[in-house]
Amino acid sequence: MTTPPPPPTKIGAILFPGFQLLDLCGPLDVLNILSGQRPLSLSLLAATLDPVSTQHHLHDAQGSRFSERLVPTHTFAEPPSDLEVLLIPGGTGARKEENIDDVVRFLRGYYPKLRYCLTVCTGSAILAKSGVLDGRRATSNKKAFSWVSINLICLFVLLFLPSSMIGMFD
Amino acid sequence: MTTPPPPPTKIGAILFPGFQLLDLCGPLDVLNILSGQRPLSLSLLAATLDPVSTQHHLHDAQGSRFSERLVPTHTFAEPPSDLEVLLIPGGTGARKEENIDDVVRFLRGYYPKLRYCLTVCTGSAILAKSGVLDGRRATSNKKAFSWVSINLICLFVLLFLPSSMIGMFD
């Protein structure tokens, strides 16, 4: 019998303007608790080191000033070299190309190094845009399924699953 | 019949070192969505305008670098004057006095202005320390109930409730 590899310890997560707060903070809260019991590291990646806001065009249209800003630790240009897991949140902001262009380019280059790439909700659309899902089975949030499947250029096969959170494993 | 007052629109939330990410981001994500449908404002209050980290002593003991930093919009010294709702998260960081001393002082002065003050988990202990719950019925997360009830100076009555999230209404 071969010994299974140790569980991953080097976690990354993606920030982009208009990301969905809970998509990111739900999974990270679980890992926050685990990291009080065993050594883990977290890197938060964004286009620049400026704080990234959840504000998006629907808030703007309402005149709402209701957003939270999270501080990145790394840029896409200078990421840690040894991330094992990457989490990609969804969010209304993902519906504007300019918010996720940098993310898509980063994923295209970094994806092959990862052990696991996890997406939440429309985060699957961002990953799909990078092309790494081409020819693979994947899914997304049922409520956003039409947008995800119609708007993607890549040719992956979308299947319904009951949960809006999916993991895609190499 | 009298017309009920309009629902509140000016929301505040408290940040302190070692706050529990989900305690804050769960409720705020719901309001983020609502704020795309009607005008709402959010203020994030902390001791200074420096980003506030979820890192706490259990992470430090493990050698984990696993935390998120949120950016405040106001200090306790210069808060908005017209907040209607205030959310107080819990968190392992709340177990160190130096992390919450400023919060407690702020609550003591600001609480009478609020329409609603909501606490999650051990956020109830922070509110209780301010004294505004003295002589009132209150509760907390069952798992942290002993710590909350033993360590508080004030004389409020704690009761078990099934949920770890409670609202305290004037």
Side-chain angles (χ1 to χ4, degrees):
Chain A
M1 271 178 65
T2 56
T3 309
T9 62
K10 296 180 178 68
I11 318 293
I14 296 286
L15 298 174
F16 60 86
F19 70 96
Q20 187 79 28
L21 188 68
L22 195 59
D23 286 10
L24 190 82
C25 296
L28 291 188
D29 190 71
V30 176
L31 294 171
N32 279 356
I33 293 169
L34 185 64
S35 64
Q37 295 161 15
R38 60 174 73 171
L40 294 177
S41 72
L42 174 67
S43 304
L44 290 170
L45 293 94
T48 74
L49 290 179
D50 292 336
V52 182
S53 174
T54 56
Q55 185 89 11
H56 56 68
H57 63 282
L58 297 182
H59 297 154
D60 296 341
Q62 289 296 332
S64 284
R65 293 178 299 103
F66 205 102
S67 64
E68 303 79 28
R69 289 188 297 153
L70 266 165
V71 183
T73 60
H74 295 78
T75 64
F76 297 133
E78 296 187 71
S81 60
D82 55 356
L83 292 179
E84 297 168 280
V85 178
L86 190 66
L87 172 69
I88 309 169
T92 303
R95 309 221 175 192
K96 293 209 163 186
E97 299 285 338
E98 63 264 36
N99 290 335
I100 56 167
D101 279 350
D102 291 326
V103 184
V104 168
R105 269 193 297 275
F106 168 73
L107 291 173
R108 204 168 283 148
Y110 206 94
Y111 184 85
K113 298 185 190 179
L114 295 167
R115 283 176 64 186
Y116 304 106
C117 189
L118 311 175
T119 70
V120 180
C121 193
T122 51
S124 58
I126 303 173
L127 184 59
K129 276 178 192 283
S130 75
V132 302
L133 297 182
D134 287 4
R136 296 185 179 198
R137 288 160 55 126
T139 189
S140 188
N141 184 335
K142 288 193 291 294
K143 200 169 171 190
F145 192 83
S146 299
W147 175 77
V148 170
S149 56
I150 289 169
N151 285 276
L152 296 182
I153 299 164
C154 62
L155 301 170
F156 70 99
V157 182
L158 283 167
L159 298 174
F160 280 85
L161 280 182
S163 167
S164 69
M165 181 169 178
I166 56 170
M168 291 160 182
F169 301 91
D170 254 333
Chain B
M1 271 177 62
T2 56
T3 308
T9 62
K10 298 181 177 67
I11 318 292
I14 296 286
L15 299 173
F16 60 86
F19 70 96
Q20 188 78 28
L21 187 68
L22 194 60
D23 287 8
L24 191 84
C25 296
L28 290 187
D29 190 72
V30 176
L31 295 170
N32 279 357
I33 293 169
L34 184 65
S35 63
Q37 296 161 15
R38 60 174 73 171
L40 295 177
S41 72
L42 174 67
S43 303
L44 290 169
L45 294 96
T48 75
L49 290 178
D50 293 336
V52 182
S53 174
T54 56
Q55 185 89 12
H56 56 67
H57 63 281
L58 298 182
H59 297 153
D60 296 341
Q62 289 297 331
S64 284
R65 292 178 300 102
F66 205 101
S67 63
E68 303 79 27
R69 288 187 298 153
L70 266 165
V71 184
T73 60
H74 294 77
T75 63
F76 297 133
E78 296 186 73
S81 60
D82 56 356
L83 293 178
E84 298 167 280
V85 178
L86 189 66
L87 172 69
I88 309 169
T92 303
R95 309 219 176 193
K96 293 208 164 188
E97 298 286 338
E98 62 263 35
N99 291 335
I100 56 168
D101 279 350
D102 292 325
V103 184
V104 168
R105 269 193 298 275
F106 168 73
L107 291 173
R108 204 168 283 147
Y110 206 93
Y111 183 85
K113 298 184 190 180
L114 295 167
R115 283 176 66 186
Y116 305 105
C117 189
L118 312 174
T119 69
V120 180
C121 192
T122 51
S124 58
I126 302 174
L127 184 59
K129 277 177 192 285
S130 76
V132 301
L133 297 181
D134 287 4
R136 296 186 179 197
R137 288 161 55 127
T139 189
S140 188
N141 184 334
K142 288 194 292 294
K143 201 169 170 189
F145 191 84
S146 299
W147 175 76
V148 170
S149 55
I150 289 170
N151 285 277
L152 295 183
I153 299 166
C154 62
L155 301 171
F156 70 97
V157 182
L158 282 166
L159 297 175
F160 280 85
L161 279 183
S163 167
S164 70
M165 181 168 179
I166 56 170
M168 292 161 183
F169 301 92
D170 254 333

